């Protein structure tokens, strides 16, 4: 089987024609990765929001117990 040195000219590759890959897509930085990054950013933002809510609730609980201890 003959192999081609050019990624955009795959000679002898089975399964018909292959999509031309841009340089960014060959470096695994194509549009699918941008969607992955957006999803990861949204997930991180949600996690940060939950952590802040827990910290705020713990802080409020700590302040209320301090208030009862002082009186």
């Amino acid at each position: 089987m003959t192999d081609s040195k050019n990624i955009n000219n795959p000679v002898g590759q089975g399964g018909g024609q292959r999509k031309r890959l841009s340089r960014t897509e060959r470096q695994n930085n194509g549009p699918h990765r941008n969607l992955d990054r957006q999803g990861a950013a949204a997930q991180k933002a949600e996690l940060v929001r939950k952590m802040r809510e827990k910290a705020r609730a713990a802080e409020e609980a700590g302040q209320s117990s301090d208030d009862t201890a002082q009186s």
Side-chain angles (χ1 to χ4, degrees):
M1 184 160 91
T2 306
D3 291 328
S4 174
K5 293 182 180 178
N6 184 352
I7 189 75
N8 287 329
N9 187 19
V11 176
Q13 298 290 332
Q17 292 183 340
R18 292 176 58 187
K19 176 182 175 289
R20 279 184 171 257
L21 298 176
S22 67
R23 180 176 289 173
T24 55
E25 288 173 326
R26 278 183 267 149
Q27 293 172 346
N28 194 20
N29 196 14
H32 60 280
R33 186 169 182 207
N34 294 337
L35 291 175
D36 291 344
R37 285 182 178 173
Q38 289 174 354
Q43 191 175 11
K44 181 179 177 182
E46 180 71 15
L47 181 63
V48 168
R49 184 186 64 79
K50 287 180 181 180
M51 290 174 65
R52 285 185 179 153
E53 285 180 2
K54 283 183 181 180
R56 191 176 305 127
E59 186 177 301
E60 289 174 1
Q63 286 178 352
S64 66
S65 65
D66 290 344
D67 292 342
T68 57
Q70 288 176 358
S71 45

